[in-house]
Amino acid sequence: MEWTGLNDLREAYLKFFESKGCLRHKSYPLVPQNDKSLLLIVAGMAPLKPYFTGQETPPRARMTTCQKCIRTGDIENVGKTARHGTYFEMLGNFSFGDYFKKEAIAWSWEFVTEVLKLPVDKLYVSVYEEDDEAEKIWHEDIGVPMDHIFRMGKEDNFWEAGTDGPCGPCSEIYFDRGEKYGCGKPGCTVGCDCDRYMEFWNLVFTQFERHEDGTYTPLAQKNIDTGMGLERLAALMQDVGSIFDVDTVKAIRDHVCEIAGCEYGAEYKKDVSIRVITDHIRAVTFLASDGVLPSNEGRGYVMRRLLRRAVRHGKLLGINGLFLKDLVKTVVDCNKCEYNELEEKYDYIVKVLTTEEQNFNSTIDRGMKILEEYIEKMQAEGKTVLDGESCFKLSDTYGFPIDLTREILEEKGMSCDEDGYAVCMEKQRETARTARGGSKYMGADETVFHKIDKDFSTEFTGYDRFEDEGTLSFLATDEELIENAGVDDVVYIVPDRTCFYAESGGQAGDTGMVETVTGKARVLDTQKAVAGKFALKAKVIEGALSAGQSAKFTVDRQNRLAIMRNHSCAHLLQSALREVLGEHVHQAGQLVDAERVRFDFSHFSALTAEELERVETRVNEYILDALDITMTEMPIAEAQKLGAMALFGEKYGEVVRVVKMGDGDETASIEFCGGTHLDNTSKIGLFKIVSENSVASGVRRIEGVTGTGVLRIFSEVNNRIKEAANVLKLNDPAQLADRIMSILEENKGLEKVSESLKRKIADSMFDEMIKRCREVNGVKVMANMMSNVGSDMYEKFADEVKNIDEPFILLMAGTADEKPKFLCVCSKAAVAKGAHAGKIVKEAAAITGGKGGGRPDMAMAGIGDKSKIDEAINAFDGILENFIK
């Protein structure tokens, strides 16, 4: 066999299976589509579940992919061993009811022996212990000697998911890497835990249906699902010890060492950190390229955890400052030949990772302060174990890694309750699982629409029309397919063709009317059901509808036009944002309906008033330029050459619809889009931004209106101006600003008068207090409840006390405010004798159920139960005895 680079191995594999009639499909995004059972894609077959389950018809019965995958089940072991990693690529070839064992086995053998040229005598295979058919093919058809074929049990060579559903035996291919990788034990052979006999390709023969009672029956449609880790194959072909020594991964590893100024292989602890950073930077780079942003939940939490773990290990290596951005370039350079989106989104990826790295550096500082407080408390209480809840709070709320908590505690001779931490972590995982919801086999939620033949689909004809005719092929409720529906029934209509647009890509579904010879129904919403079926949610308003009837479909024209104005404007808005803010801006979600355009986009700070004005102005310039809008279907490769923008994480077919606004030098936007649009930007009318705010870390949201929506806003603002003018008794609204300025000046004068009066009142009241004060242990004290005093006068009383030279303490409960507070003020001489306003007021407030505290000379505290104020004031002398002896 010859040394072969990882990228060349990928290409060789995909080309080989193309030659066998397989459709070569680009890797699907790491974010699963319509699959609640997974946070991220974990295997090559995961994006193809609908084809295996029969929910959807595959583009071809044979496919081959190299799929990006992330698994985090062993994240704590990543770095500690040379085996574990989170990001990897899975080579696969698949058959959906087409070829089966004979071809799958023959082709795998052909690839490994003729393309990879692996020595035949070094190859071994395993089969399921009851799979005589597979053993026969390997031995009699392929010629593998019987002493190179191993039968294994269910645990090793049988694949099934859950208690029911398709399943089947596996056959695995092993390579004997030689004694230098072995354990040296007598009898070391296939199945040993050492690295000598490497399993590198798993062929799954899905041929049975498992039932809940534990029985199996043959499947009518037998499938093939194979998986081979690309990095593992590269390690084998390059004769290296681990995936971290493979050419493309090693390049990243070496860059980490260069930045850290250390040598790989010299010290175990440093090797752990180098491996963690190497693996995690690959993972987060690909996650960012597929639109995942760091957050505190779901896949965003996975990304945040990986990224912060990498930064943490960078600190352990002594790396100062931001370093992830430097490594991104190496990841991109090593992978762009297959994943060109990495290069296209390079600036964006760097921005996402750098922002999170900066945030985490601040988080580390905050977490250290909190941990130090925990340690001080433990030392005061004589404890040596930090409870699990506190460990989890540090990790979950403050992003402070558990391994860092553990390390710092160990330095202090302490430890953390890791069992308690694990309990808290499991609670969080359970919450996340519950939030994802339940699902059937392979994550497919069962709905009434699954009862319809998977090959049936709805033809959409509404790109250029508002009326059409078709057949009410199916009627359904939430639970079952039905034949008829009468007046006031709300049902789902699944037609064979319709001009009604089904909600997709953030565009709201159409409304309108459906009419047959026997009845009418008002369409309330249109949604996409499973496998290309449209479901029109409709209420019957006249007569009755029956399944199979011919019908006339009429879209609510004004509603659709309003949606189209907002949708076309959303494309212009993205272009304007990228022009004003930078190329890092990408759509992160949108909702366009008849009322507004809501556009979410990647950006890392609030937009300034000037930026918002520039964006709004640019969009309106595009509108007034009256740019033609064209929609064209073309092969995806051709669309990419045009520079058409694609949505993060979106699943596209081989043919895509491209929406172009403008032409030549005046081109404003080119995007992949399956929605409905106007034919000219001028028909949008006008655009007005209504709001801009944050919706997640690194994601901003702009809401705006177009057309009549803008006119409505102008009308509302005009009416408010008129109302304000009427309130101020102005005949001319143009005088409004001058009148408001005049009122503000008048208010300033009144405020000065008010402050002067408050000062005089306070002086007078304080003079009376001085006359009635008493003495406790040589300190003059005054404790009172003042029903006509609010906290706005507290500062004036405090000033009076601070001007007294002798020892004096004031405790006051002003109850004029809705939420009354205690005030305690101590003169300098009183503080010198041991008084502490913060501690005194804290004890007094506690009697009422309130809380507070502050400085030795002045402090405030909230009052809980007003009826207990007298009790607190009466306790004042007793409280003072703790301070003034």
Side-chain angles (χ1 to χ4, degrees):
M1 65 185 193
E2 297 177 1
W3 187 99
T4 312
L6 180 141
N7 289 321
D8 292 332
L9 286 170
R10 182 198 300 112
E11 184 62 22
Y13 180 91
L14 295 173
K15 273 189 175 179
F16 176 81
F17 280 99
E18 270 191 296
S19 73
K20 302 301 182 184
C22 293
L23 172 66
R24 174 174 174 168
H25 199 289
K26 186 177 172 65
S27 173
Y28 293 91
L30 284 165
V31 179
Q33 303 292 307
N34 304 315
D35 186 349
K36 294 180 181 179
S37 69
L38 295 173
L39 279 179
L40 296 162
I41 294 299
V42 296
M45 56 76 62
L48 309 177
K49 286 179 183 180
Y51 307 147
F52 282 111
T53 59
Q55 295 172 40
E56 297 181 20
T57 302
R60 195 180 297 175
R62 302 177 179 186
M63 288 183 68
T64 184
T65 64
C66 182
Q67 177 61 45
K68 300 176 289 187
C69 302
I70 284 186
R71 293 180 186 173
T72 57
D74 287 325
I75 189 172
E76 297 299 339
N77 288 320
V78 174
K80 293 179 181 176
T81 74
R83 288 184 175 187
H84 291 89
T86 58
Y87 174 82
F88 62 98
E89 296 179 61
M90 181 72 81
L91 298 164
N93 62 284
F94 312 94
S95 165
F96 313 107
D98 187 13
Y99 65 84
F100 198 49
K101 287 183 188 179
K102 194 177 185 68
E103 295 85 350
I105 290 173
W107 293 343
S108 65
W109 190 255
E110 182 183 346
F111 180 73
V112 299
T113 58
E114 296 184 21
V115 178
L116 300 183
K117 295 182 169 53
L118 294 179
V120 172
D121 63 326
K122 298 285 188 180
L123 292 169
Y124 294 77
V125 296
S126 66
V127 297
Y128 177 51
E129 58 191 359
E130 297 178 13
D131 193 355
D132 297 334
E133 180 186 8
E135 184 185 77
K136 184 177 180 182
I137 294 171
W138 279 116
H139 180 57
E140 296 184 6
D141 294 1
I142 305 301
V144 177
M146 287 303 296
D147 62 356
H148 278 227
I149 300 175
F150 290 75
R151 287 187 180 243
M152 295 185 178
K154 257 194 171 184
E155 185 177 341
D156 297 300
N157 278 70
F158 197 92
W159 181 88
E160 54 190 348
T163 57
D164 62 341
C167 58
C170 309
S171 182
E172 296 174 317
I173 306 177
Y174 294 77
F175 184 76
D176 179 3
R177 309 194 72 196
E179 292 182 3
K180 67 178 180 179
Y181 291 102
C183 57
K185 297 177 183 176
C188 174
T189 188
V190 171
C192 183
D193 288 335
C194 71
D195 293 333
R196 175 171 177 174
Y197 295 90
M198 176 190 281
E199 179 269 308
F200 65 95
W201 201 346
N202 187 16
L203 318 179
V204 179
F205 313 126
T206 312
Q207 64 186 94
F208 299 115
E209 177 87 22
R210 178 186 166 118
H211 306 284
E212 290 189 358
D213 62 2
T215 59
Y216 298 85
T217 54
L219 279 173
Q221 175 181 301
K222 296 177 173 63
N223 302 319
I224 289 293
D225 160 25
T226 82
M228 174 163 56
L230 177 57
E231 292 84 356
R232 177 174 282 208
L233 177 62
L236 187 159
M237 294 299 295
Q238 296 173 20
D239 194 22
V240 292
S242 81
I243 61 171
F244 295 98
D245 301 309
V246 167
D247 59 336
T248 57
V249 186
K250 181 178 179 294
I252 302 165
R253 187 198 81 190
D254 290 346
H255 195 174
V256 174
C257 292
E258 180 186 337
I259 293 172
C262 61
E263 181 183 352
Y264 185 68
E267 184 182 334
Y268 173 73
K269 277 191 176 182
K270 288 187 176 181
D271 286 353
V272 169
S273 295
I274 293 165
R275 287 192 288 261
V276 166
I277 298 169
T278 301
D279 171 80
H280 290 4
I281 190 62
R282 295 176 79 215
V284 297
T285 298
F286 276 95
L287 283 167
S289 77
D290 281 341
V292 180
L293 287 166
S295 69
N296 285 331
E297 58 184 15
R299 59 185 66 95
Y301 180 72
V302 172
M303 182 175 184
R304 171 162 285 170
R305 189 179 178 201
L306 292 170
L307 194 150
R308 292 187 167 188
R309 201 163 181 261
V311 174
R312 156 69 181 144
H313 279 274
K315 290 183 179 295
L316 289 177
L317 288 175
I319 300 175
N320 296 315
L322 305 175
F323 68 95
L324 294 184
K325 64 182 186 303
D326 299 322
L327 295 174
V328 170
K329 182 69 166 60
T330 306
V331 177
V332 172
D333 287 344
C334 291
N335 293 277
K336 64 185 179 183
C337 61
E338 177 67 16
Y339 304 107
N340 58 304
E341 66 270 19
L342 292 175
E343 194 164 37
E344 293 169 3
K345 298 168 183 173
Y346 173 76
D347 291 339
Y348 167 79
I349 295 168
V350 167
K351 187 71 174 175
V352 170
L353 302 193
T354 301
T355 300
E356 182 66 12
E357 188 176 5
Q358 289 170 328
N359 291 341
F360 183 50
N361 286 336
S362 300
T363 296
I364 286 275
D365 295 336
R366 289 198 302 270
M368 279 298 298
K369 290 179 182 177
I370 294 163
L371 181 54
E372 285 167 3
E373 290 174 6
Y374 287 158
I375 291 172
E376 284 180 15
K377 186 178 178 183
M378 289 166 63
Q379 289 172 335
E381 296 174 354
K383 295 180 179 178
T384 59
V385 180
L386 181 62
D387 63 277
E389 287 189 9
S390 295
C391 293
F392 181 73
K393 186 176 181 180
L394 275 167
S395 172
D396 188 56
T397 305
Y398 301 104
F400 203 71
I402 184 64
D403 55 345
L404 183 53
T405 300
R406 183 191 306 119
E407 183 176 319
I408 293 169
L409 287 171
E410 287 174 354
E411 291 171 359
K412 302 285 185 180
M414 298 175 172
S415 63
C416 51
D417 175 13
E418 300 207 32
D419 290 339
Y421 171 83
V423 169
C424 294
M425 181 63 78
E426 183 54 37
K427 283 182 182 177
Q428 185 193 65
R429 287 174 178 155
E430 184 58 38
T431 301
R433 283 192 289 267
T434 303
R436 286 203 298 273
S439 59
K440 299 293 182 182
Y441 163 65
M442 295 175 87
D445 286 338
E446 199 69 39
T447 69
V448 65
F449 305 109
H450 286 90
K451 298 176 181 179
I452 301 172
D453 187 337
K454 75 175 189 305
D455 292 326
F456 175 87
S457 63
T458 303
E459 178 188 358
F460 175 60
T461 62
Y463 281 121
D464 54 4
R465 65 182 71 183
F466 294 89
E467 293 184 359
D468 201 1
E469 294 182 353
T471 303
L472 310 185
S473 301
F474 302 92
L475 299 179
T477 65
D478 284 323
E479 293 81 26
E480 59 183 350
L481 298 175
I482 57 175
E483 291 298 321
N484 303 287
V487 172
D488 291 335
D489 286 347
V490 177
V491 296
Y492 296 105
I493 298 169
V494 182
D496 64 338
R497 59 183 274 140
T498 184
C499 52
F500 279 78
Y501 183 83
E503 181 178 333
S504 179
Q507 177 177 331
D510 279 333
T511 59
M513 298 292 295
V514 173
E515 185 175 359
T516 71
V517 293
T518 60
K520 291 183 181 178
R522 179 177 293 110
V523 177
L524 309 173
D525 189 20
T526 306
Q527 295 285 328
K528 279 188 178 179
V530 66
K533 301 167 180 61
F534 283 27
L536 284 59
K537 186 177 183 180
K539 182 176 182 179
V540 181
I541 58 174
E542 284 184 26
L545 303 181
S546 299
Q549 281 187 307
S550 296
K552 179 181 179 182
F553 300 94
T554 306
V555 171
D556 183 329
R557 185 184 183 90
Q558 294 308 313
N559 186 71
R560 165 78 84 79
L561 285 172
I563 293 172
M564 288 162 66
R565 282 194 290 271
N566 285 327
H567 196 169
S568 294
C569 191
H571 285 224
L572 297 178
L573 176 57
Q574 176 163 236
S575 291
L577 285 165
R578 287 171 64 84
E579 184 177 317
V580 172
L581 302 179
E583 296 296 305
H584 66 276
V585 169
H586 285 273
Q587 179 181 327
Q590 73 171 9
L591 172 63
V592 285
D593 57 20
E595 300 300 318
R596 68 197 187 286
V597 50
R598 190 183 79 193
F599 189 80
D600 296 347
F601 58 99
S602 52
H603 190 57
F604 304 91
S605 60
L607 272 69
T608 64
E610 180 192 359
E611 287 171 336
L612 285 170
E613 184 179 354
R614 288 173 60 196
V615 169
E616 185 176 277
T617 299
R618 193 70 184 103
V619 172
N620 282 307
E621 286 173 350
Y622 288 141
I623 293 170
L624 296 174
D625 284 342
L627 304 172
D628 286 334
I629 301 174
T630 58
M631 288 155 280
T632 312
E633 287 192 350
M634 62 181 70
I636 191 168
E638 185 179 334
Q640 289 168 336
K641 287 179 182 177
L642 286 176
M645 288 190 66
L647 287 181
F648 276 130
E650 188 68 23
K651 183 177 175 180
Y652 294 104
E654 293 303 307
V655 176
V656 295
R657 192 173 183 83
V658 175
V659 176
K660 185 179 181 183
M661 299 184 180
D663 199 13
D665 294 337
E666 295 183 351
T667 301
S669 169
I670 308 178
E671 290 189 37
F672 290 30
C673 184
T676 60
H677 287 274
L678 303 168
D679 57 12
N680 191 281
T681 60
S682 63
K683 294 183 179 180
I684 296 172
L686 283 173
F687 170 65
K688 181 67 182 170
I689 292 175
V690 175
S691 65
E692 188 273 342
N693 59 282
S694 171
V695 291
S697 177
V699 180
R700 309 294 300 179
R701 171 174 292 170
I702 281 180
E703 292 204 22
V705 291
T706 62
T708 55
V710 178
L711 297 179
R712 187 168 57 249
I713 284 181
F714 288 162
S715 177
E716 289 172 358
V717 171
N718 191 45
N719 288 336
R720 287 173 190 164
I721 291 172
K722 287 180 180 178
E723 288 174 13
N726 288 335
V727 169
L728 295 176
K729 296 182 173 56
L730 295 174
N731 293 325
D732 183 3
Q735 299 172 350
L736 196 58
D738 291 339
R739 182 64 183 126
I740 290 172
M741 291 299 295
S742 176
I743 290 172
L744 290 174
E745 287 300 318
E746 290 172 14
N747 283 345
K748 286 180 182 178
L750 291 172
E751 285 174 6
K752 290 179 181 178
V753 173
S754 173
E755 287 298 309
S756 177
L757 289 172
K758 286 178 182 178
R759 168 62 66 187
K760 289 178 180 178
I761 293 169
D763 289 346
S764 175
M765 293 175 74
F766 192 74
D767 288 343
E768 287 298 315
M769 288 182 188
I770 293 291
K771 293 175 184 176
R772 292 183 283 112
C773 70
R774 61 188 187 281
E775 190 171 301
V776 176
N777 293 339
V779 178
K780 289 183 178 180
V781 299
M782 186 67 207
N784 247 344
M785 178 172 74
M786 313 281 276
S787 60
N788 58 345
V789 172
S791 58
D792 60 334
M793 293 181 67
Y794 279 4
E795 187 177 343
K796 296 165 182 61
F797 284 104
D799 289 343
E800 295 285 355
V801 175
K802 290 175 183 177
N803 289 329
I804 296 175
D805 293 330
E806 59 188 319
F808 187 91
I809 301 173
L810 169 66
L811 178 68
M812 177 191 296
T815 60
D817 297 336
E818 184 179 347
K819 294 182 178 179
K821 296 177 182 176
F822 279 112
L823 168 70
C824 182
V825 191
C826 303
S827 68
K828 283 185 179 180
V831 173
K833 289 181 69 69
H836 192 295
K839 294 178 181 178
I840 293 170
V841 81
K842 181 178 181 181
E843 291 192 34
I847 295 171
T848 69
K851 294 180 180 179
R855 303 191 311 268
D857 61 334
M858 177 181 168
M860 286 191 287
I863 294 171
D865 185 348
K866 289 183 183 180
S867 67
K868 293 185 177 180
I869 292 176
D870 285 339
E871 181 183 342
I873 288 174
N874 292 333
F876 183 46
D877 289 3
I879 294 170
L880 283 182
E881 289 179 0
N882 296 325
F883 302 94
I884 311 295
K885 304 299 182 182

